[in-house]
C-alpha cells in the first residue's frame, strides 16, 4: 500500500464515537496514511456516524452525496461509513450509496486494517455481524495530549424503549481491569493528566466479567475499578461517563468522595421527571429514587457538579407530566443538562406507538426546558465567584490567544490569561472573577495550592 495516501475522519455523536475515531485514525497511520484536514484532499474518507436521533442520521447522507460524486471523478477514493448508522443500515447503505467501499459497525472499529485489505483486494465490504471486541492494541491518534478517553465497557443490555444504542452497539462487553490499567499507565507515561472512563452504561461495568477482581472480590464493579486504577502514576484526574440511576450505588458515591483523583462531577441522565413516563421508557427507576441519588451525592460531596440528559415529548407525555420534568430540574439545579426532543428510532419499541406528539408540542417543550436549564445553570455558577478553582489547562482560547482554557474538577470550562506553551497540562489555581451559565473566567493565583502541578 503506497505510504503517501491521506485520510480524513469526520465524527458525529458521542464520546464513544470520538474514542473509536481516535483508534481508527491510529490504525490508518500505522498503515502509512497521513491526516488531511480537508476531506476533499483525502484519498480515504471515513464518516463515523450517529443515529441517536433522526437529524444526526440525516447529516451523513448530505456528506456522502458529495463524496459519491467525487468518487466518479476519482475512482481511487476510498469511502467508508462506520459507527451506528452503518450498523443500523448495513447492506441497505450500499444500495443507497453504491460508491461506498466499506460499511462497518462500531464493534468492528479495531478491525479496520483487515477490512481495508479486503477493500484494496477489490471487494465492497459490509461488517456488521456481532463480534467479541478483542482487546485493542492500536495506538489511538488522540485529539488531545492532556486528556484521554479510555473505553471500559462497550454496548448496553438495557432496553430503554426510545433508544437505538443496544441495537447498534450490541451487548455489554467489559474490558479486563488489567487492560484498562495498562492503557492508563501508558497514558501516564506519555504525559496525559486526565482520563475519562467511558461506557454507554458505565455503572454496569464488570457484570459480564467472570472470576474475581484483582482485589479478590467476587464481582467486578465500576467502584472496584476506580480503586484499582486510582494510583496509576502521572494521571491526576479520573472522570467517568455515562451513568445510569438504576445502578448508581452509595458504595460508588462513597468511593468517589474518598478517592482524591476522581473528579466530583457526575453525568447521570434522568430523561424524565415523571414516573409514568419513566415506566413507559423502561428506565427502571422513579423520580424519587433519582432525587435520593442526587441527595446522597451532595451529602458526601456538597459541591459536586451534576449533569444529565433529558428527553421531552416522549410518546403520550402530557403537559402535567412534562411539568414534572420541569419541577425536577428546578429542584435539583443541574450544572449542565443536555436536552432533546423525542425522535422515533428504527427498531425501538416507542417508535411505533400510536400516541406520538406533534413536532410543535415537542419544540415548545424543548424551548421551555432549555430556558429553565440556562437559568438554573447560571444560578449554580454563582457559587464559583471569588473561589480559587484548580483548572487543568488543555488549550489556548481560540477566541483570545492571550488566554488559556481548561476545566475545573466540576467540569466547568474556565478561561484565564496565560501562555499555553508554559501551562499546557498543568493544574493551576485560578481565582474566579466572572461567572456565566456554562463557563468561568478568572485570574491565575501565584501562591502554591494543594493539587496544583505547575
Ligand atoms: S441505558 Fe438506555 S438510553 Fe442508555 S444506552 Fe442503554 S438503552 Fe440507551
Amino acid at each position: 500500500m503506497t505510504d503517501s495516501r491521506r485520510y480524513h475522519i469526520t465524527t458525529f455523536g458521542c464520546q464513544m464515537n470520538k474514542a473509536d475515531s481516535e483508534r481508527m485514525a491510529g490504525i490508518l497511520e500505522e498503515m502509512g496514511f497521513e491526516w488531511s484536514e480537508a476531506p476533499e484532499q483525502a484519498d480515504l474518507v471515513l464518516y463515523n456516524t450517529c443515529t441517536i436521533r433522526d437529524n444526526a442520521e440525516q447529516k451523513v447522507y448530505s456528506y456522502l452525496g458529495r463524496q459519491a460524486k467525487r468518487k466518479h471523478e476519482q475512482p481511487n477514493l476510498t469511502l467508508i461509513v462506520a459507527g451506528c448508522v452503518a450498523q443500523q443500515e448495513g447492506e441497505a447503505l450500499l444500495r443507497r450509496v453504491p460508491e461506498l467501499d466499506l460499511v462497518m459497525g462500531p464493534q468492528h472499529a479495531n478491525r479496520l486494517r483487515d477490512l481495508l485489505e479486503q477493500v484494496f483486494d477489490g471487494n465492497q465490504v459490509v461488517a456488521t455481524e456481532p463480534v467479541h471486541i478483542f482487546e485493542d492494541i492500536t495506538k489511538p491518534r488522540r485529539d488531545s495530549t492532556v486528556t484521554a478517553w479510555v473505553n471500559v465497557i462497550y454496548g448496553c443490555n438495557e432496553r430503554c424503549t426510545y433508544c437505538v444504542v443496544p441495537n447498534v452497539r450490541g451487548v455489554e462487553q467489559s474490558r479486563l481491569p488489567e487492560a484498562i490499567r495498562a492503557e492508563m499507565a501508558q497514558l501516564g507515561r506519555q504525559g496525559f493528566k486526565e482520563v475519562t472512563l467511558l461506557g454507554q452504561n458505565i455503572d454496569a461495568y464488570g457484570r459480564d466479567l467472570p472470576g474475581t477482581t484483582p482485589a479478590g472480590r467476587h464481582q467486578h464493579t465500576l467502584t472496584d475499578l476506580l480503586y484499582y486504577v486510582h494510583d496509576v502514576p502521572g494521571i491526576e484526574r479520573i472522570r467517568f461517563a455515562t451513568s445510569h440511576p438504576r445502578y448508581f450505588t452509595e458504595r460508588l458515591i462513597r468511593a468517589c468522595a474518598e478517592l482524591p483523583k476522581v473528579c466530583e462531577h457526575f453525568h447521570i441522565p434522568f430523561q424524565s421527571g415523571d414516573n409514568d413516563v419513566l415506566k413507559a421508557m423502561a428506565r427502571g427507576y422513579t423520580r424519587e429514587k433519582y432525587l435520593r441519588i442526587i441527595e446522597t451525592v451532595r451529602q458526601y460531596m456538597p459541591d459536586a457538579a451534576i449533569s444529565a440528559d433529558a428527553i421531552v415529548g416522549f410518546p403520550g407525555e402530557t403537559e402535567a407530566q412534562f411539568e414534572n420534568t420541569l419541577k425536577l430540574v428546578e429542584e435539583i439545579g443541574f450544572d449542565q443538562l443536555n436536552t432533546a426532543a423525542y425522535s422515533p428510532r428504527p427498531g425501538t419499541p416507542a417508535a411505533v406507538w400510536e400516541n406520538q406528539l406533534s413536532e410543535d408540542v415537542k419544540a415548545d417543550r424543548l424551548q421551555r426546558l432549555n430556558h429553565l436549564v440556562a437559568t438554573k445553570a447560571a444560578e449554580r455558577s454563582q457559587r464559583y465567584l471569588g473561589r480559587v478553582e484548580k483548572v487543568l489547562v488543555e488549550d489556548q482560547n481560540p477566541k483570545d490567544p492571550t488566554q488559556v482554557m481548561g476545566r475545573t474538577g466540576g467540569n466547568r470550562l474556565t478561561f484565564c490569561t496565560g501562555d499555553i506553551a508554559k501551562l499546557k497540562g498543568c493544574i493551576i489555581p485560578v481565582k474566579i472573577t466572572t461567572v456565566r451559565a456554562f463557563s468561568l473566567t478568572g485570574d491565575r493565583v501565584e501562591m502554591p495550592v494543594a493539587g496544583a502541578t505547575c
Side-chain angles (χ1 to χ4, degrees):
M1 212 278 316
T2 60
D3 55 3
S4 63
R5 297 194 73 194
R6 294 187 298 166
Y7 77 97
H8 180 90
I9 296 179
T10 302
T11 306
F12 303 92
C14 66
Q15 297 136 320
M16 302 292 285
N17 257 12
K18 291 196 178 94
D20 288 348
S21 290
E22 290 183 344
R23 292 209 312 284
M24 291 191 279
I27 292 171
L28 291 169
E29 296 199 357
E30 269 171 9
M31 293 175 74
F33 281 87
E34 285 165 15
W35 170 252
S36 165
E37 192 57 44
E40 52 287 345
Q41 306 295 325
D43 307 290
L44 181 150
V45 174
L46 187 154
Y47 294 107
N48 192 8
T49 58
C50 171
T51 190
I52 203 74
R53 275 175 286 283
D54 187 54
N55 56 3
E57 179 183 348
Q58 296 314 321
K59 271 196 203 132
V60 72
Y61 296 122
S62 57
Y63 285 76
L64 275 177
R66 281 197 292 279
Q67 294 297 343
K69 246 203 231 87
R70 218 183 121 209
K71 177 119 183 177
H72 292 286
E73 292 123 32
Q74 201 187 323
N76 279 344
L77 172 66
T78 304
L79 213 40
I80 304 173
V81 173
C84 297
V85 175
Q87 185 67 37
Q88 175 182 289
E89 299 302 309
E91 296 279 349
L93 212 45
L94 286 188
R95 287 191 291 280
R96 184 165 179 171
V97 190
E99 295 80 4
L100 280 170
D101 297 289
L102 173 56
V103 174
M104 51 183 292
Q107 291 192 339
H108 295 264
N110 298 350
R111 300 185 54 230
L112 181 56
R113 177 190 282 269
D114 308 349
L115 298 170
L116 266 179
E117 270 152 16
Q118 293 172 44
V119 167
F120 296 148
D121 291 348
N123 305 299
Q124 205 176 29
V125 179
V126 175
T128 53
E129 69 282 7
V131 290
H132 180 73
I133 298 174
F134 57 79
E135 193 43 45
D136 107 60
I137 46 162
T138 55
K139 298 184 189 51
R141 180 186 183 276
R142 298 185 190 268
D143 292 343
S144 167
T145 58
V146 175
T147 66
W149 313 113
V150 172
N151 284 317
V152 300
I153 178 171
Y154 303 97
C156 183
N157 290 4
E158 301 300 305
R159 281 279 172 255
C160 304
T161 54
Y162 54 83
C163 185
V164 74
V165 170
N167 301 345
V168 289
R169 285 196 169 259
V171 297
E172 286 162 11
Q173 298 189 41
S174 300
R175 294 177 67 197
L176 293 173
E178 295 80 1
I180 295 164
R181 187 182 166 93
E183 183 174 353
M184 287 175 68
Q186 186 186 42
L187 289 165
R189 287 191 297 274
Q190 292 167 342
F192 286 83
K193 292 289 181 292
E194 178 181 293
V195 156
T196 300
L197 305 176
L198 284 182
Q200 309 285 163
N201 176 10
I202 198 163
D203 306 318
Y205 172 77
R207 65 183 180 183
D208 60 312
L209 285 178
T212 57
T213 70
R217 277 178 59 86
H218 71 78
Q219 173 66 43
H220 294 265
T221 65
L222 176 62
T223 307
D224 298 295
L225 180 66
L226 289 174
Y227 281 111
Y228 179 60
V229 299
H230 188 258
D231 63 349
V232 168
I235 300 298
E236 302 290 340
R237 286 184 169 178
I238 299 172
R239 300 181 187 275
F240 58 88
T242 294
S243 289
H244 194 302
R246 199 174 194 171
Y247 307 102
F248 206 82
T249 62
E250 180 159 0
R251 183 169 174 260
L252 174 62
I253 296 169
R254 200 179 311 120
C256 295
E258 207 181 284
L259 296 169
K261 290 185 183 178
V262 176
C263 292
E264 296 190 355
H265 164 231
F266 303 97
H267 185 64
I268 319 173
F270 69 91
Q271 305 301 4
S272 170
D274 182 84
N275 286 343
D276 293 333
V277 175
L278 287 171
K279 200 150 185 251
M281 287 176 164
R283 288 289 287 169
Y285 55 85
T286 60
R287 65 173 284 127
E288 291 75 21
K289 168 147 189 214
Y290 190 82
L291 284 164
R292 278 198 304 280
I293 289 171
I294 304 303
E295 225 172 270
T296 310
V297 167
R298 287 178 171 162
Q299 267 161 24
Y300 281 91
M301 296 161 277
D303 191 51
I306 310 283
S307 62
D309 301 341
I311 293 173
V312 301
F314 187 73
E317 182 190 65
T318 63
E319 176 59 24
Q321 290 171 331
F322 170 63
E323 276 161 21
N324 284 336
T325 293
L326 294 178
K327 284 188 201 125
L328 187 96
V329 171
E330 184 72 53
E331 200 167 330
I332 291 180
F334 289 95
D335 291 82
Q336 176 125 22
L337 183 62
N338 308 322
T339 61
Y342 171 72
S343 170
R345 303 312 299 136
T348 60
V352 294
W353 293 352
E354 300 292 315
N355 48 4
Q356 303 290 332
L357 304 188
S358 72
E359 293 308 314
D360 291 353
V361 169
K362 291 183 200 174
D364 166 62
R365 290 180 184 172
L366 192 59
Q367 193 260 336
R368 289 155 61 196
L369 178 58
N370 288 342
H371 177 71
L372 176 62
V373 166
T375 309
K376 298 304 290 182
E379 279 171 21
R380 284 287 288 165
S381 263
Q382 286 304 320
R383 72 187 195 280
Y384 290 110
L385 194 59
R387 273 173 32 176
V388 173
E389 286 291 316
K390 281 176 276 178
V391 174
L392 171 57
V393 178
E394 292 175 41
D395 237 321
Q396 188 174 65
N397 178 356
K399 295 201 183 90
D400 177 348
T402 68
Q403 286 192 331
V404 295
M405 65 183 195
R407 292 176 185 278
T408 64
N411 205 38
R412 243 336 177 267
L413 185 61
T414 305
F415 303 93
C416 73
T417 303
D419 175 356
I420 190 62
K422 290 202 185 79
L423 296 177
K424 190 162 188 157
C426 297
I427 296 179
I428 59 171
V430 176
K431 183 168 177 73
I432 305 303
T433 54
T434 311
V435 298
R436 292 170 292 274
F438 302 110
S439 66
L440 311 169
T441 296
D443 303 325
R444 186 166 175 218
V445 178
E446 293 308 334
M447 82 212 178
V449 168
T453 57
C454 300

